[in-house]
């Protein structure tokens, strides 16, 4: 636990450039623009407990600090990565002392709040409830999944967005021109193309932008210009934002799956490239692509499953980058293939019936009879061997349990091979209806 320190020498540029007012704050106009909800609450002095949800480097900690300054509140910050119930109790004691001695409200800012377990989240709820603390949490993960309902019911969630190029560019200019906190004393310029590359590399992250700018500035003499070559040399790691276990991970695999399902090969390739660029394991994507083949293409094009399995095999055998091309080929094939979720839907329906009904016994005529006793008990009696029947089909035969009405789980779509499968099944059902050997009457 600790307070924000006063500005210290040799602070990183990103720390020095923390805005001192809302006018200096970059981005989030949907929350802080005129008439927007958080701006109105600030202007009316109606602060409340809140959760800031957004990607790294968009100003969650900075905004919390600004709110404390504007409200003249005592500011205490803890990190859920390092802190526990002990630190929460210490924060409560500080809040009580501030209220008793100075009459000031205390804001408890919890960074990475999603890392607190349920009992830790519950620990400060009573003090939020009775007004001892005003709680502000920051998280990069979806609060609906990571925070308990009791905490969510006491705090309003604000979604902070990645900074666009306009906001990042304004921040870059402020850093270059600010003589007190920024780089203004060095009188640096930046080439237009270098600026464009730097903004792209920041990927919506203000902290990353300022860190890159500071490194570049250290390599340029006063009155110099930050050129394209220098910026390109700095960007050895071009990985975009991609948390392998977090929200961005599941958002991007979802976007890939939905693009394939939507028959858009170009968008499918884009999201695949984003995940590879972000450091996702290509074998994970290969496994998910196999799932897509069964779930969304199915028997409309049975070749899809084999192609995806082959791509997975190539990825395992050759590794990157050669294997990634095979996975890309499979993704494009899936996106262009006829679509059917008929098998997926049928399987779910069958599983639902099995889970909700008794454990029906197989009918006697479908059971094997390897012993004399089993034959005497009627096992396999009356079974019709399909290969001995006309068209290799035992018309009128019943394969469901006797206590269960037959179901039609599989409903082929009128696309790809399934259109022909549907025709065949309709024909076989017509044979069933006309058969004098129907085991179960209509």
């Amino acid at each position: 636990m600790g307070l924000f320190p006063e500005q210290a020498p040799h602070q990183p540029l990103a720390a020095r450039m923390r805005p001192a007012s809302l006018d200096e704050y970059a981005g989030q106009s949907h929350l802080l623009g005129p008439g927007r909800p958080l701006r109105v609450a600030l202007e009316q002095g109606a602060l409340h407990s809140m959760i800031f949800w957004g990607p790294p480097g968009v100003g969650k900690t900075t905004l919390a600090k600004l709110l404390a300054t504007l409200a003249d509140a005592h500011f205490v910050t803890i990190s859920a990565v390092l802190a526990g119930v002990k630190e929460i109790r210490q924060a409560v004691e500080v809040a009580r002392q501030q209220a008793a001695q100075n009459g000031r409200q205390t804001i408890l800012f919890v960074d990475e709040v999603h890392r607190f377990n349920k009992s830790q989240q519950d620990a400060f709820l009573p003090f939020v409830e009775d007004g001892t603390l005003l709680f502000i949490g920051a998280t990069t993960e979806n609060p609906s999944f990571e925070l308990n309902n009791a905490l969510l019911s006491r705090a309003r969630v604000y979604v902070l967005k990645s900074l666009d190029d306009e906001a990042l560019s304004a921040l870059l200019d402020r850093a270059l021109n600010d003589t007190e906190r920024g780089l203004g004393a060095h009188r640096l310029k930046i080439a237009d193309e270098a600026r464009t590359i730097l903004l792209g590399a920041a990927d919506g992250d203000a902290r990353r932008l300022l860190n890159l700018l500071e490194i570049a500035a250290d390599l340029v003499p006063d009155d110099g210009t930050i050129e394209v070559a220098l910026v390109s040399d700095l960007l050895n790691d071009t990985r975009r934002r991609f948390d392998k276990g977090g929200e961005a991970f599941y958002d991007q695999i979802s976007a890939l799956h939905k693009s394939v399902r939507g028959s858009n090969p170009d968008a499918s390739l884009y999201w695949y490239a984003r995940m590879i660029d972000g450091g996702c394991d290509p074998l994970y994507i290969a496994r998910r692509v196999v799932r897509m083949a069964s779930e969304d293409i199915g028997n409309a094009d049975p070749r899809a499953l084999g192609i995806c399995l082959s791509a997975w095999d190539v990825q395992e055998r050759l590794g990157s980058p050669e294997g990634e091309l095979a996975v890309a080929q499979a993704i494009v094939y899936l996106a262009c293939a006829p679509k059917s979720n008929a098998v997926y839907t049928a399987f779910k329906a069958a599983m639902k019936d099995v889970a909700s009904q008794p454990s029906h016994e197989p009918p006697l005529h479908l059971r094997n009879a390897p012993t004399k006793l089993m034959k005497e008990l009627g096992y396999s009696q009356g079974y019709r061997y399909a290969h001995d029947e006309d068209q290799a089909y035992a018309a009128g035969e019943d394969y469901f349990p006797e206590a269960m009405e037959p179901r039609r789980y599989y409903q082929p779509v009128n696309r790809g091979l399934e259109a022909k499968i549907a025709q065949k099944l309709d024909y076989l059902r017509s044979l069933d209806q006309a058969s004098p050997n129907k085991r179960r009457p209509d």
Side-chain angles (χ1 to χ4, degrees):
M1 181 181 71
L3 305 181
F4 268 91
E6 297 297 325
Q7 182 169 316
H10 310 301
Q11 279 188 308
L13 178 63
R16 301 200 307 270
M17 292 305 298
R18 285 192 187 277
S21 67
L22 284 178
D23 291 335
E24 291 185 351
Y25 188 80
Q28 315 311 329
S29 59
H30 64 293
L31 298 179
L32 298 171
R36 304 309 297 172
L38 192 51
R39 185 72 175 243
V40 171
L42 285 173
E43 292 171 347
Q44 296 177 350
L47 283 184
H48 47 273
S49 292
M50 58 192 82
I51 295 166
F52 295 151
W53 172 28
V58 297
K60 298 185 290 294
T61 303
T62 297
L63 182 54
K65 181 66 167 64
L66 271 178
L67 298 185
T69 301
L70 294 171
D72 191 28
H74 185 64
F75 190 80
V76 177
T77 178
I78 62 177
S79 171
V81 176
L82 303 173
V85 174
K86 175 183 175 183
E87 285 73 18
I88 293 172
R89 289 173 178 164
Q90 291 175 351
V92 170
E93 289 304 312
V94 170
R96 286 173 173 163
Q97 291 172 11
Q98 285 291 320
Q101 296 173 7
N102 306 314
R104 296 178 74 195
Q105 190 174 32
T106 294
I107 290 178
L108 173 63
F109 176 71
V110 182
D111 197 17
E112 308 263 11
V113 65
H114 60 275
R115 295 183 181 271
F116 270 159
N117 59 36
K118 185 178 185 301
S119 62
Q120 289 170 323
Q121 291 180 34
D122 288 342
F124 50 75
L125 288 181
F127 309 107
V128 174
E129 190 74 26
D130 66 14
T132 302
L133 295 170
L134 190 69
F135 164 76
I136 300 180
T139 178
T140 56
E141 302 298 323
N142 190 328
S144 301
F145 302 139
E146 303 295 339
L147 303 183
N148 64 42
N149 290 332
L151 180 56
L152 287 174
S153 69
R154 291 165 173 81
R156 181 168 178 178
V157 176
Y158 291 101
V159 179
L160 277 67
K161 301 177 181 179
S162 296
L163 302 186
D164 59 22
D165 283 355
E166 182 180 357
L168 288 173
S169 188
L171 178 60
L172 188 151
D173 287 334
R174 189 162 65 84
L176 285 174
N177 297 321
D178 191 321
T179 56
E180 293 184 7
R181 295 177 294 164
L183 303 170
H186 299 285
R187 302 175 301 279
L188 298 176
K189 301 179 181 62
I190 184 168
D192 289 343
E193 189 176 350
R195 174 190 291 266
T196 300
I197 295 173
L198 207 57
L199 296 179
D203 197 25
D205 185 329
R207 183 166 50 244
R208 187 176 190 197
L209 172 72
L210 293 174
N211 288 341
L212 290 170
L213 178 61
E214 185 172 27
I215 296 171
D218 288 341
L219 301 174
V220 176
D222 288 357
D223 296 309
T225 299
I226 300 173
E227 300 286 359
V228 172
L230 173 59
V231 172
S232 298
D233 287 342
L234 290 177
L235 299 177
N236 293 325
D237 181 6
T238 59
R239 302 279 182 194
R240 302 292 178 177
R241 182 165 52 242
F242 188 84
D243 180 357
K244 295 181 185 179
E247 187 75 11
F249 179 91
Y250 295 107
D251 285 348
Q252 291 183 27
I253 192 63
S254 176
L256 170 60
H257 196 154
K258 289 179 171 64
S259 298
V260 167
R261 183 182 296 148
S263 298
N264 191 317
D266 303 303
S268 301
L269 282 175
Y270 171 79
W271 291 114
Y272 173 54
R274 277 286 300 276
M275 297 184 76
I276 293 298
D277 180 67
C280 181
D281 182 359
L283 286 173
Y284 170 81
I285 302 176
R287 291 193 296 270
R288 287 298 298 257
V289 167
V290 171
R291 164 69 184 235
M292 295 174 202
S294 289
E295 180 176 339
D296 292 296
I297 285 80
N299 287 333
D301 187 348
R303 294 170 297 182
L305 185 58
I307 288 171
C308 293
L309 285 169
S310 295
W312 184 357
D313 189 42
V314 170
Q315 181 66 59
E316 283 192 317
R317 288 172 179 267
L318 299 185
S320 298
E322 291 86 352
E324 292 162 12
L325 180 60
V327 177
Q329 179 183 346
I331 287 172
V332 169
Y333 189 92
L334 294 184
C336 298
K339 302 299 186 293
S340 171
N341 69 343
V343 173
Y344 176 62
T345 302
F347 179 61
K348 288 200 302 182
M351 290 295 292
K352 182 178 179 181
D353 273 355
V354 168
S356 62
Q357 295 188 17
S359 299
H360 298 301
E361 297 287 342
L364 288 176
H365 70 282
L366 295 183
R367 302 186 196 185
N368 285 331
T371 69
K372 179 180 179 182
L373 175 61
M374 296 170 80
K375 291 178 181 177
E376 291 174 350
L377 292 175
Y379 281 43
S380 197
Q381 184 175 344
Y383 171 65
R384 296 162 59 195
Y385 187 58
H387 293 286
D388 292 339
E389 302 279 338
D390 183 39
Q391 302 184 67
Y393 182 69
E397 184 61 285
D398 189 349
Y399 298 95
F400 274 90
E402 293 176 358
M404 179 181 176
E405 285 295 318
R407 300 282 197 269
R408 287 183 61 178
Y409 297 122
Y410 182 45
Q411 305 280 352
V413 301
N414 191 30
R415 291 184 293 277
L417 181 62
E418 276 201 335
K420 294 184 177 181
I421 293 174
Q423 293 175 2
K424 178 177 181 179
L425 291 178
D426 286 341
Y427 173 67
L428 295 179
R429 290 189 187 100
S430 71
L431 295 181
D432 287 337
Q433 291 298 319
S435 174
N437 299 318
K438 284 191 290 187
R439 185 175 293 273
R440 192 184 303 237
D442 292 329

